[in-house]
Every structure is written in structure tokens, then in C-alpha cells.
Amino acid sequence: MTSPEQPEHYFSGTPAGPEHRRRLDVEVWGRRFVLQSANGVFSADHLDRGTEILLRESAPPTGSPRVLDLGCGYGPVALGIALACPGAQVDAVDVNERALALCRDNAAELGVADRVRALLPDQVEPGTTYDEIWSNPPIRVGKEALHALLLTWLPRLAPTGTARLVVSKNLGADTLQRWLVDQGYGCGRAASSKGFRVLVVTPAAG
């Protein structure tokens, strides 16, 4: 994912221009840590509001779940989950190779590289299923691309799995919720805060 002011990077595997890294202090579920970010990735200068709300309005996973962070960026969700849930195995997926490199480096620095895999979409093994999917999806790619993205990954939910999506109300959260229901998924609103909805999706029947 990329910053709203640079929407073309949603589609770019390799952002243009030289990389300039910076360090960000973040807090997730009461734990403070430092992440490396850089230009050309989503919300490079701060933890964006949608992700902040997704994490604040959700409890961390427990036990030993297989988790997907879809559109991981430099890794705040994937790494927050890995730190809060020592049994979690997390696949952090993005199309942006710079973001994936940052996520890998952050995982190594935080000591969770053995449990966080930063992957391009086609590097995920066919047939892999997830107990939980977390995502601040790239709404600005457009409705058709967003729907294709969700229809690619939501079928990977385990039968008892859940997906948590944070979407701006102004960018169509309620319309997306209705569309997901029309596709056969269970979809409820877990929280609404500062113009964002946190949607909880359960597998399609059958």
C-alpha cells in the first residue's frame, strides 16, 4: 500500500526514486517499538488513522493462529500481532517490494523474523488458509480492483476464521459491507470511529 498522495504506488512493485529511510515510534496494544519506514510506501511518516483504529478497536490474536496481513506496508499490523501473540505465524503480503524489504528488516530488528514472512502475493503457497486476515485495504485502487483483491484472499479464510477490515465511511465502507454480504460472506460492523468502520468478515456459507 502507498500514501494517499501517491496513489500510483498502489500499482507499483518498485517505487520510483531513491529510498530514504526514517524511523517511527509506534504503540500497538500498549507496546512501544520503533519501525523503519521510507518514501514510496503507505503512510511513510506516521501510523495512518485507519490502521490505528483497526488496532485500537480490535483485540490481538491469541493462541497459535496463522495470520495474513494483507497490504502490510512496512509492517505495523503484522509486527504488532507477532509481538502481542508469541504463537502467531504471520504472512505479511504486499505488492510493493520496498515495503516488503522494510517489513523484513523491521521483523529482524524486533526479533520476530522467524514468525513473520514478508511476501509478494504470488509467493504465498497455493492452498494456504488463515485463521485471521487483517487489512487496511487499498480502497483507492478502485472498486473493481478492490473486489478482485478481496475475492482472491477472503476464500483463504479457515472455516472458523475471521477477517478484520478497516475502511473509511467516506470511501464506501457501508457499500463494501453490503457487497460482501451479497457475495455470501458474513459481515458485521465491529466498530465505528473517526469516520472509519471496522468490518468483521466470516467465510461464505458452503
Side-chain angles (χ1 to χ4, degrees):
M1 301 196 309
T2 59
S3 301
E5 67 270 22
Q6 296 175 310
E8 69 277 10
H9 288 159
Y10 281 133
F11 307 99
S12 174
T14 306
E19 178 182 294
H20 300 288
R21 291 198 176 194
R22 65 207 71 174
R23 295 175 73 82
L24 303 179
D25 291 307
V26 301
E27 182 174 346
V28 178
W29 293 310
R31 185 188 299 265
R32 298 189 65 84
F33 51 94
V34 176
L35 296 178
Q36 293 188 77
S37 178
N39 56 306
V41 303
F42 177 67
S43 195
D45 297 319
H46 61 283
L47 188 63
D48 72 285
R49 181 171 291 181
T51 299
E52 184 180 76
I53 289 168
L54 174 64
L55 292 165
R56 188 183 71 221
E57 299 293 341
S58 306
T62 58
S64 302
R66 187 76 181 266
V67 180
L68 170 66
D69 176 7
L70 181 59
C72 64
Y74 51 87
V77 173
L79 299 170
I81 288 172
L83 290 169
C85 181
Q89 296 287 334
V90 186
D91 285 351
V93 171
D94 208 297
V95 298
N96 186 316
E97 293 182 0
R98 183 175 294 175
L100 292 175
L102 289 161
C103 186
R104 289 187 195 102
D105 289 350
N106 286 327
E109 191 165 327
L110 293 170
V112 294
D114 59 326
R115 296 188 292 110
V116 177
R117 302 192 306 166
L119 304 169
L120 292 166
D122 61 6
Q123 292 175 321
V124 178
E125 298 86 347
T128 300
T129 60
Y130 297 97
D131 301 298
E132 299 190 23
I133 296 174
W134 292 61
S135 186
N136 180 354
I139 299 299
R140 286 180 171 80
V141 297
K143 185 180 294 186
E144 184 176 340
L146 175 66
H147 288 176
L149 178 75
L150 294 176
L151 290 177
T152 297
W153 293 99
L154 288 178
R156 289 177 175 264
L157 278 173
T160 59
T162 58
R164 304 187 73 87
L165 314 176
V166 63
V167 183
S168 167
K169 180 182 178 182
N170 290 339
L171 294 178
D174 296 341
T175 300
L176 181 63
Q177 182 177 358
R178 288 192 294 271
W179 177 80
L180 286 165
V181 171
D182 288 344
Q183 305 311 302
Y185 290 93
C187 186
R189 187 185 305 164
S192 183
S193 177
K194 298 182 180 179
F196 286 86
R197 310 287 204 213
V198 177
L199 305 179
V200 177
V201 185
T202 53

